[in-house]
Amino acid sequence: MPSHRSVVRRRLLGLSLAMLASHNVAARDPHELVIGTSVGPYADQVKFGIKPILEKQGYKVKVVEFSDYIQPNFALAEGALDANIFQHIVYLRQFASEHKLALSDLITIPTAPIALYSSKHKALTQVREGALVTMPNDPTNQARALVLLDQLGWIRLRPQIDPLRASEKDIAVNLKKLKLVALEAAQLPRSLQDSDYAFVNGNYALASGLKLTDALITEKISPNYINLVAVRSADKDKPYARDIAAAYRSRAFLDYTNQHLQGYAKTEYQLAQQGSAR
């Protein structure tokens, strides 16, 4: 009997092949771009911030939205996408290594941080012993949540662990006796109905109607967790990839970021560009 992973992989492969046939990749004009994103704010960032810039250069851009963190990388590797935008470098490297995919980062993008939300409590000081806390179930984002819990003093992680790889087994002391429940990232906003606190990735928070300013505490994003544009490694120096990178570096996109992406962490190149304009 096939394993669950092999069944999932075949289903994803079938989906990607269907997309390949649909878009006729082999015959597609080099000025036709198919970009995959996660549903919500990163899709909007491409549609309203990047797509208009590329279209002025003669590109025809199609945005394909995904509701999970698995399919976009398979679709990119198999040729159904020209680029995808939903992940940070830690996740990309881990996923590409695990599945033997030749994918590379192209450029970082403005990123909505992971944060702790609650619909039952108005302050972190209201935490009680035994509180139910939901968090992402993928290893890289779960590590971010655990590090933030450690910073809050609700748990203590083992000394000298790698914060990028922290897991529940690294909890040395559960000071608040928290009940930690790991869920798919897309389900975390809904978990606010039943939990005391929920860690929610920024894109899913915004997609669900939460405001970044609603968070009780927000991580200070490390460079490891800034989201990025990914492309196939063989395509990294192709003209379309250079044009996508240039669109993100443009003054027009910085203006879009300042106007529409309040609360996002700007990229280093945007901060430098903004500083030089003063």
Side-chain angles (χ1 to χ4, degrees):
M1 185 174 179
S3 68
H4 174 71
R5 177 175 289 183
S6 66
V7 171
V8 171
R9 182 68 188 273
R10 283 204 301 271
R11 287 176 180 170
L12 294 175
L13 179 60
L15 171 65
S16 298
L17 290 175
M19 293 174 69
L20 279 167
S22 173
H23 296 303
N24 196 11
V25 171
R28 197 164 67 216
D29 186 286
H31 277 75
E32 292 182 1
L33 297 179
V34 182
I35 299 176
T37 73
S38 52
V39 172
Y42 291 113
D44 290 343
Q45 192 177 124
V46 177
K47 290 176 186 175
F48 305 115
I50 294 300
K51 182 178 177 181
I53 297 171
L54 292 171
E55 287 181 336
K56 286 181 180 178
Q57 299 177 40
Y59 286 99
K60 181 179 180 181
V61 181
K62 178 179 178 63
V63 179
V64 179
E65 298 181 40
F66 295 85
S67 59
D68 63 59
Y69 290 164
I70 306 297
Q71 298 181 63
N73 279 333
F74 284 123
L76 176 60
E78 293 160 7
L81 305 175
D82 297 297
N84 71 35
I85 300 160
F86 75 98
Q87 63 195 321
H88 46 64
I89 190 65
V90 177
Y91 185 83
L92 172 63
R93 287 175 178 168
Q94 179 178 333
F95 194 97
S97 175
E98 180 181 351
H99 298 284
K100 296 179 173 56
L101 304 179
L103 303 179
S104 297
D105 56 303
L106 178 66
I107 190 170
T108 55
I109 68 169
T111 303
I114 196 170
L116 190 64
Y117 297 84
S118 178
S119 61
K120 297 180 180 179
H121 309 290
K122 294 183 179 180
L124 296 171
T125 54
Q126 294 177 353
V127 64
R128 297 177 180 177
E129 286 194 357
L132 175 62
V133 179
T134 55
M135 59 184 179
N137 65 358
D138 64 281
T140 52
N141 287 312
Q142 186 174 120
R144 297 163 75 180
L146 291 171
V147 167
L148 199 49
L149 286 174
D150 181 83
Q151 292 171 355
L152 284 170
W154 294 6
I155 66 170
R156 280 286 174 262
L157 295 172
R158 292 189 296 108
Q160 299 181 337
I161 65 162
D162 182 349
L164 300 181
R165 294 179 171 82
S167 67
E168 287 190 68
K169 72 179 189 307
D170 295 313
I171 298 175
V173 185
N174 188 340
L175 297 164
K176 295 293 184 181
K177 298 180 173 60
L178 304 175
K179 297 175 183 175
L180 299 174
V181 177
L183 300 172
E184 290 285 345
Q187 303 302 316
L188 289 165
R190 289 185 209 163
S191 75
L192 284 166
Q193 300 172 19
D194 304 309
S195 63
D196 291 290
Y197 302 93
F199 282 98
V200 186
N201 293 70
N203 59 315
Y204 287 121
L206 291 166
S208 69
L210 292 170
K211 297 179 181 178
L212 298 180
T213 52
D214 291 336
L216 298 178
I217 187 170
T218 300
E219 71 171 344
K220 182 178 180 181
I221 302 183
S222 83
N224 294 301
Y225 297 132
I226 295 292
N227 279 6
L228 53 83
V229 179
V231 295
R232 288 178 294 279
S233 300
D235 295 343
K236 192 169 182 177
D237 293 322
K238 287 188 176 179
Y240 86 83
R242 292 198 298 268
D243 287 340
I244 290 174
Y248 276 96
R249 293 182 182 277
S250 69
R251 179 70 205 194
F253 185 65
L254 176 61
D255 291 341
Y256 174 85
T257 302
N258 287 333
Q259 185 174 356
H260 298 288
L261 305 181
Q262 291 88 355
Y264 283 66
K266 289 189 176 75
T267 62
E268 290 186 1
Y269 59 83
Q270 285 186 313
L271 293 173
Q273 186 180 29
Q274 192 163 273
S276 65
R278 290 174 183 168

